[in-house]
Amino acid sequence: MRLEDNETKIIRWGILGCGKVTEVKSGPAYQKTKGFEVVAVMRRDESKAKDYAQRHGISKYYSNADDLINDEEVDAVYIATPPDTHKFYGLKVAAAGKICCIEKPLAPSQQDCLDIYEAFKSKEIPLFVSYYRRSLPRFKQIKTWLDSNAIGELRHIRWHLSKPANSQDLSGEYNWRTDKSIATAGYFDDLASHGLDLFIHLLGDVKEAKGISLNQQGLYTSKDAISACWLHECGVTGSGSWNFGCSMREDTVEIFGSKGKISFSVFNEESVVLSNEDGVTDLFIDNPENIQLFHVENIREQLIGNEIHPSNGKTASHTAWTMDKIVGNI
C-alpha cells in the first residue's frame, strides 16, 4: 500500500489507549512527523481521554474504541493498550481497512501475532509494530559496524539484564505487566522483547531457541527469572539471562567476533563501544526526546514509497516465536 499522492497526503491518526507510553515516548512523535496528524484519542476513562486531548492539542476524544476506529476522519490507528487487547483491537482496525501501528509486543503469543499479521496481510494493509530500536541511530551504528565486518566473522551474542524488585512488586499492588494471564513471563515479555527483536534485526532470524523460566520471588503470578540460549540462522550463537529480583540493575550486551567485539546497552543511554585490532571506538549517540520519532518517521517513509519499515507484523511474529520458545509456551 502506497499513498496515491505521495508527500502531499496527510495521514490522520487516532490513538487507542493514551496512557503513559504515549505522553512523551510515542504520541508527540506522530504529531511531529511531517504529513501526520493526530486527530483523535481514546481511553476508557472519558475524563482522562479529554485531559490528554486538551494537553496535547488533539481535537477529539472517545471512551469507546469502536467510535475511534470507525471515525471517517481517522485514516490510521496506533494501538497503545496492554498486549492482551492488541489482537482484539487489531482485528477491528484490519476489518475497518485502516493503516495500523501496534505497541510491542505485538501480542502475548506467536499465534495471536500471526492472526493479527494475516488479517492485515489479506487486505494488503500496512501493519507496523513499535519495536523502535530498529530505527534508532545508536543501534543503526552497530549494524553498520557488523555489516562492514568491523569485528570479523560473527561468533556469539550475550545479554544480561537484571533489576531489583520495585515498590509496586513488593507491595502486591496489581500490575498487568506481572499478571501471567497477560504476560506469562512478566517483565521479560515487556523488556526482553525489545532486545531480542533488536538482535534479530542485527543478526538475522533465530533458528533454534531454548530456555529455563521460573518464579523465584513469589511476588506476583508471572515468571521473574529466565535464562536462554539460541542460534541465529547465520550460525551466530546467543545466550541471555534476565532476572527481576537482583540487588542491582545491569544491562550489558556483547557481540563477539573473530577480530573484536561490540558492547552496548539495550535500555541505558550509554556509549556503543567497538573494540578491535585498530583500538577502541567509543561513541555516545543521543536518543531523540520522543524516542519513537525515527520509528514513526520511517512509517511515513514506507507509506510514501521511499523505503520499507524495519518493524512489521511478520518480524514481530518471529520475535514472539523466539520468546515463546524461550519461555516454553510452544
Side-chain angles (χ1 to χ4, degrees):
M1 182 176 181
R2 185 173 183 270
L3 299 184
E4 293 180 359
D5 40 5
N6 291 336
E7 298 184 7
T8 62
K9 172 71 174 178
I10 300 296
I11 295 295
R12 300 166 297 180
W13 286 83
I15 300 177
L16 285 184
C18 47
K20 184 178 179 181
V21 71
T22 67
E23 289 285 352
V24 177
K25 288 184 176 181
S26 62
Y30 286 85
Q31 294 176 300
K32 292 180 178 180
T33 296
K34 179 182 177 183
F36 282 179
E37 180 182 355
V38 179
V39 298
V41 295
M42 172 270 167
R43 194 166 182 173
R44 286 178 296 177
D45 186 319
E46 185 175 357
S47 64
K48 290 182 178 180
K50 179 180 179 181
D51 175 68
Y52 184 96
Q54 290 177 338
R55 287 186 292 104
H56 291 272
I58 298 167
S59 58
K60 291 190 285 188
Y61 60 90
Y62 296 104
S63 59
N64 183 287
D66 289 342
D67 292 339
L68 183 144
I69 293 169
N70 296 312
D71 185 332
E72 293 183 356
E73 294 183 352
V74 171
D75 305 309
V77 179
Y78 164 43
I79 299 174
T81 58
D84 63 322
T85 62
H86 288 179
K87 178 179 176 180
F88 178 73
Y89 291 130
L91 296 183
K92 284 178 176 285
V93 175
K98 297 187 177 183
I99 298 163
C100 189
C101 180
I102 302 179
E103 262 302 329
K104 47 61 57 188
L106 177 55
S109 70
Q110 185 211 16
Q111 186 56 58
D112 282 351
C113 290
L114 290 173
D115 290 343
I116 300 169
Y117 167 60
E118 292 296 338
F120 284 89
K121 181 182 177 183
S122 66
K123 288 196 169 188
E124 299 184 338
I125 303 168
L127 170 63
F128 306 95
V129 183
S130 296
Y131 282 114
Y132 56 83
R133 279 173 172 76
R134 290 181 176 228
S135 297
L136 285 175
R138 67 174 55 187
F139 300 118
K140 291 179 75 173
Q141 177 60 61
I142 293 170
K143 186 161 180 58
T144 296
W145 282 337
L146 295 175
D147 291 346
S148 64
N149 298 314
I151 59 171
E153 295 181 10
L154 303 182
R155 304 299 192 203
H156 184 74
I157 183 168
R158 176 174 67 196
W159 184 23
H160 174 71
L161 175 69
S162 62
K163 73 179 186 69
N166 60 36
S167 58
Q168 187 174 13
D169 299 334
L170 296 170
S171 72
E173 178 186 349
Y174 179 76
N175 180 357
W176 65 261
R177 290 178 173 82
T178 53
D179 180 346
K180 69 176 182 180
S181 66
I182 297 176
T184 302
Y187 294 117
F188 175 81
D189 289 352
D190 186 32
L191 301 176
S193 58
H194 269 296
L196 291 169
D197 182 82
L198 175 64
F199 304 161
I200 290 167
H201 177 59
L202 295 174
L203 301 171
D205 284 353
V206 170
K207 182 179 180 180
E208 300 176 29
K210 299 178 181 180
I212 298 172
S213 59
L214 68 156
N215 184 307
Q216 292 181 330
Q217 302 175 88
L219 296 176
Y220 37 73
T221 59
S222 64
K223 298 176 180 181
D224 60 12
I226 298 94
S227 62
C229 59
W230 63 89
L231 174 66
H232 291 271
E233 289 183 355
C234 65
V236 174
T237 56
S239 61
S241 55
W242 305 266
N243 195 292
F244 304 102
C246 289
S247 62
M248 64 184 70
R249 181 181 177 88
E250 293 186 44
D251 177 11
T252 304
V253 181
E254 294 175 298
I255 303 177
F256 300 90
S258 62
K259 295 182 180 180
K261 75 172 183 176
I262 297 170
S263 306
F264 61 96
S265 169
V266 173
F267 297 103
N268 299 337
E269 294 203 13
E270 299 175 353
S271 298
V272 292
V273 181
L274 167 66
S275 304
N276 60 16
E277 56 193 9
D278 296 324
V280 176
T281 303
D282 185 308
L283 297 178
F284 183 83
I285 303 172
D286 278 319
N287 286 328
E289 176 187 7
N290 311 113
I291 201 163
Q292 293 198 23
L293 180 63
F294 295 113
H295 157 75
V296 177
E297 289 181 340
N298 283 341
I299 292 177
R300 176 70 181 178
E301 288 300 299
Q302 175 167 325
L303 294 179
I304 63 176
N306 286 346
E307 60 183 61
I308 299 299
H309 195 282
S311 180
N312 54 53
K314 183 178 181 180
T315 63
S317 295
H318 181 68
T319 297
W321 174 85
T322 305
M323 302 275 289
D324 277 352
K325 293 289 287 185
I326 289 172
V327 178
N329 290 339
I330 55 175

